[in-house]
């Protein structure tokens, strides 16, 4: 392996080594607050994030391990935001985990291993490498959901997640095996070439594509593969819920880009129709089901399903009648959407964690009643997050939705324009259940008079999180440019 080959995988190697160091070092930690482990983990994440940022600035596309791994700006941008998501989650989770006897070395080492799986997924240029990254991430998340072993609801959620996750992994692996059978290669670049030349068995390819899209839809939580999302989000400890709701969504988008765009662009006419159906169903069912929820975590789960529907709308605008001129605009809008969605989701679940205390989970909508009177700052920050999810300006969620709608409308395709109109209507319906929570916070009488006490670290993280959602909404140009440049270089590579 040449020096340049090694350069492509430095962040993953560093992360793997430091994850093992964290796991071993924790054996000698006696502090119940796990301060040394917490600090070492955050330093590790800071180092990995700095490496990814350096690669983004360089803007080069490198290959390693016989082209099984690709290092490009898109992969590093996704990995950077995954690092940020894991770091912020661990900061929010520390007081929550401590009060529920979850603050163990496993919380940190499994979170880092899931991040390693995400890093492998977004940089994979080979079907098997993609699957290895997926399994590393998934197995870590299954264990994290079950970390609170004495809690029946968490154990039940972990079993549901494991069984249905294994089924989805089987779908994906079976689809990959059919793709390999049709093209004779596991290399994503070679698969692209074989499909472009028309040398593959079209019938086998289409069958394989159906299974791959099904597996991707499960990981994203799109209808009709959404059945696990509400139960797992509600049943899992909120710290584990955020570990599932944040960085793994970035990984799923990265995997979809690698498999569908980098590998199967020649089948875009087929998979765009599938994604279109998934998007419409997700927007419709996600938004309508969320209206009926009284549990905040369950409402946000259905909200996630609807948000993933909007994400998929951007994915289907890339190729119109065989023309790829709109590809960069469409995929960069989806990239911007997933990144800003994760930043906002970190705040919503983070605030739920910070409001919880020993013996009390602040996970019902009524638990936020009168929050404005108990803590005006927390109520204002939560309102920012909810307005962003609803797509209200000047929050970043508005620009994310606008970017996707512009990508659809700019194609001048009648069907895609109709989908854009449908997306707007669904957003209006979705705004109801977000604004309902704001109404409860500001106009209902408090049901709980307990003093809200939040440690300095989580409070600072929440403030920065809220400021990021607001500032990215006021000045979205920088991140949009990064997303556009990353997609253009990825497509060119």
């Amino acid at each position: 392996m040449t020096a340049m080959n090694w350069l492509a995988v430095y962040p993953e190697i560093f992360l793997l080594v430091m994850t093992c160091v964290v796991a071993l070092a924790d054996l000698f930690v006696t502090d119940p607050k796990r301060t040394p482990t917490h600090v070492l983990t955050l330093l590790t994440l800071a180092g990995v994030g700095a490496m990814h940022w350096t690669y983004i600035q360089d803007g080069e596309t490198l290959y390693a391990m016989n082209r099984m791994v690709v290092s490009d700006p898109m992969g590093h941008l996704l990995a950077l935001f995954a690092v940020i998501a894991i770091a912020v989650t661990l900061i929010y989770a520390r007081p929550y985990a401590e009060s529920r006897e979850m603050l163990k070395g496993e919380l940190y080492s499994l979170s880092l291993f899931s991040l390693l799986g995400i890093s492998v997924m977004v940089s994979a240029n080979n079907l098997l490498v993609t699957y290895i990254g997926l399994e590393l991430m998934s197995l870590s998340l299954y264990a994290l959901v079950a970390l609170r072993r004495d809690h029946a609801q968490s154990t039940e959620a972990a079993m549901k997640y494991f069984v249905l996750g294994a089924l989805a992994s089987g779908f994906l692996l079976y689809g990959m095996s059919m793709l390999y059978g049709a093209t004779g290669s596991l290399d994503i670049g070679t698969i692209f070439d074989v499909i472009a030349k028309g040398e593959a068995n079209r019938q086998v390819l289409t069958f394989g594509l159906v299974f791959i899209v099904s597996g991707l839809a499960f990981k994203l939580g799109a209808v009709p593969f959404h059945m696990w999302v509400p139960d797992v989000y509600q049943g899992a400890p909120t710290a584990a819920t955020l570990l599932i709701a944040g960085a793994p969504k970035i990984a799923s988008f990265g995997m979809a880009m690698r498999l569908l765009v980098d590998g199967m662009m020649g089948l875009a006419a087929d998979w765009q129709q599938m994604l279109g159906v998934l998007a419409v169903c997700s927007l419709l069912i996600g938004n309508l089901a969320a209206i009926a929820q009284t549990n905040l975590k369950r409402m946000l789960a259905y909200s996630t399903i609807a948000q993933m529907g909007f994400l998929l709308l951007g994915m289907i605008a890339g190729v119109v009648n065989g023309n790829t001129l709109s590809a960069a605009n469409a995929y960069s809008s989806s990239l911007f959407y997933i990144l800003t969605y994760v930043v906002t989701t970190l705040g919503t679940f983070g605030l739920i964690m910070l409001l919880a205390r020993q013996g009390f989970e602040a996970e019902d909508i009524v638990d936020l009643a009168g929050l404005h009177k108990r803590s005006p700052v927390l109520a204002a920050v939560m309102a920012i997050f909810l307005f962003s999810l609803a797509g209200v300006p000047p929050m970043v969620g508005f620009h994310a939705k606008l970017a996707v709608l512009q990508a659809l409308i700019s194609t001048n395709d009648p069907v895609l324009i109709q989908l854009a109109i449908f997306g707007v209507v669904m957003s209006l319906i979705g705004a109801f259940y977000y604004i309902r929570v704001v109404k409860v916070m500001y106009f209902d009488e408090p049901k709980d008079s307990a003093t809200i006490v939040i440690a300095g670290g989580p409070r600072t993280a929440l403030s920065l999180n809220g400021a990021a959602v607001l500032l990215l909404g006021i000045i979205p140009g920088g991140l949009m440019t990064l997303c556009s440049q990353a997609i253009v270089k990825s497509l060119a590579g």
Side-chain angles (χ1 to χ4, degrees):
M1 204 185 281
T2 65
M4 183 171 285
N5 290 144
W6 280 110
L7 191 63
V9 290
Y10 273 164
E12 287 74 25
I13 293 172
F14 175 74
L15 179 58
L16 174 60
V17 171
M18 289 307 298
T19 301
C20 295
V21 170
V22 168
L24 289 171
D26 184 75
L27 295 173
F28 304 97
V29 174
T30 56
D31 178 11
K33 291 183 179 292
R34 286 289 186 278
T35 301
T37 308
H38 186 76
V39 171
L40 183 57
T41 302
L42 292 182
L43 288 174
T44 298
L45 293 171
V48 175
M51 293 173 79
H52 284 302
W53 178 248
T54 303
Y55 281 84
I56 292 170
Q57 295 297 102
D58 289 343
E60 290 185 74
T61 298
L62 309 172
Y63 292 91
M65 300 178 178
N66 293 319
R67 297 181 69 86
M68 288 195 294
V69 176
V70 59
S71 166
D72 63 4
M74 184 190 78
H76 288 296
L77 184 59
L78 290 169
L80 174 62
F81 271 79
V83 168
I84 294 170
I86 295 290
V88 173
T89 299
L90 290 176
I91 293 171
Y92 288 150
R94 193 183 182 196
Y96 177 91
E98 185 183 2
S99 63
R100 284 153 185 80
E101 298 182 358
M102 290 171 54
L103 194 58
K104 307 169 185 174
E106 293 93 320
L107 175 65
Y108 293 97
S109 54
L110 286 171
S111 297
L112 290 176
F113 273 124
S114 71
L115 177 60
L116 180 59
I118 291 167
S119 299
V120 172
M121 287 170 68
V122 300
S123 61
N125 195 44
N126 180 285
L127 297 182
L128 281 183
V129 174
T130 301
Y131 188 74
I132 289 169
L134 173 65
E135 287 304 289
L136 178 56
M137 178 193 77
S138 299
L139 291 170
S140 301
L141 292 175
Y142 300 151
L144 283 164
V145 174
L147 201 56
R148 198 177 175 190
R149 287 172 292 183
D150 59 344
H151 193 254
Q153 199 175 12
S154 298
T155 308
E156 180 188 346
M159 286 300 296
K160 288 178 179 177
Y161 191 28
F162 173 70
V163 171
L164 293 172
L167 182 67
S169 294
F171 278 172
L172 204 59
L173 191 59
Y174 188 57
M176 288 177 175
S177 69
M178 297 186 83
L179 197 58
Y180 172 68
T183 61
S185 178
L186 295 169
D187 181 80
I188 290 175
T190 305
I191 291 170
F192 177 89
D193 293 336
V194 171
I195 293 174
K197 293 174 183 174
E199 298 172 356
N201 185 313
R202 185 80 182 188
Q203 192 172 10
V204 176
L205 268 181
T206 305
F207 271 109
L209 179 62
V210 170
F211 281 102
I212 286 174
V213 170
S214 299
L216 290 171
F218 178 93
K219 294 303 176 184
L220 285 168
V223 175
F225 304 97
H226 68 293
M227 68 291 290
W228 64 276
V229 180
D231 290 343
V232 173
Y233 274 40
Q234 182 181 359
T238 310
T241 301
L242 185 48
L243 285 166
I244 296 169
K249 298 301 182 192
I250 294 174
S252 300
F253 173 78
M255 182 167 62
M257 286 294 297
R258 297 294 184 202
L259 294 177
L260 299 180
V261 178
D262 293 355
M264 292 185 278
M265 184 71 98
L267 300 176
D270 296 316
W271 58 256
Q272 284 186 168
Q273 290 182 42
M274 298 179 200
L275 295 187
V277 174
L278 294 173
V280 169
C281 293
S282 299
L283 283 165
L284 185 64
I285 293 174
N287 281 314
L288 293 180
I291 292 173
Q293 305 307 313
T294 57
N295 181 281
L296 185 57
K297 285 167 69 175
R298 200 171 183 87
M299 187 204 84
L300 289 172
Y302 282 109
S303 156
T304 295
I305 294 167
Q307 299 282 352
M308 292 304 103
F310 226 99
L311 171 77
L312 294 175
L313 287 181
M315 294 285 290
I316 64 179
V319 181
V320 182
N321 298 322
N323 190 328
T324 59
L325 290 175
S326 61
N329 185 33
Y331 302 140
S332 63
S333 71
S334 286
L335 176 56
F336 182 78
Y337 195 96
I338 193 65
L339 296 181
T340 54
Y341 162 75
V342 168
V343 170
T344 309
T345 296
L346 288 171
T348 53
F349 282 104
L351 194 135
I352 292 171
M353 262 193 283
L354 297 178
L355 288 177
R357 58 182 186 274
Q358 183 74 46
F360 174 72
E361 299 282 348
E363 58 180 46
D364 286 326
I365 294 175
V366 293
D367 293 333
L368 298 185
L371 182 61
H372 171 66
K373 295 178 181 177
R374 297 173 62 203
S375 176
V377 174
L378 290 183
V381 171
M382 188 61 165
I384 288 172
F385 295 138
L386 291 169
F387 283 137
S388 181
L389 289 171
V392 176
M395 314 308 168
V396 71
F398 167 75
H399 290 284
K401 283 181 166 58
L402 183 63
V404 170
L405 294 173
Q406 284 178 332
L408 289 166
I409 294 170
S410 64
T411 61
N412 293 320
D413 183 86
V415 175
L416 295 183
I417 291 173
Q418 288 174 7
L419 284 176
I421 295 170
F422 178 77
V424 171
V425 173
M426 289 298 104
S427 292
L428 291 173
I429 294 173
F432 166 77
Y433 55 83
Y434 294 121
I435 294 174
R436 179 181 61 184
V437 178
V438 177
K439 173 258 178 189
V440 168
M441 290 193 301
Y442 278 86
F443 299 106
D444 287 11
E445 287 300 315
K447 297 285 192 295
D448 187 359
S449 58
T451 305
I452 299 173
V453 180
I454 300 176
R459 180 181 286 274
T460 302
L462 189 67
S463 301
L464 292 174
N465 200 164
V469 171
L470 188 57
L471 288 175
L472 285 173
I474 297 171
I475 316 169
L479 183 56
M480 281 184 165
T481 302
L482 269 181
C483 292
S484 180
Q485 290 173 348
I487 292 295
V488 167
K489 288 175 181 175
S490 175
L491 293 174

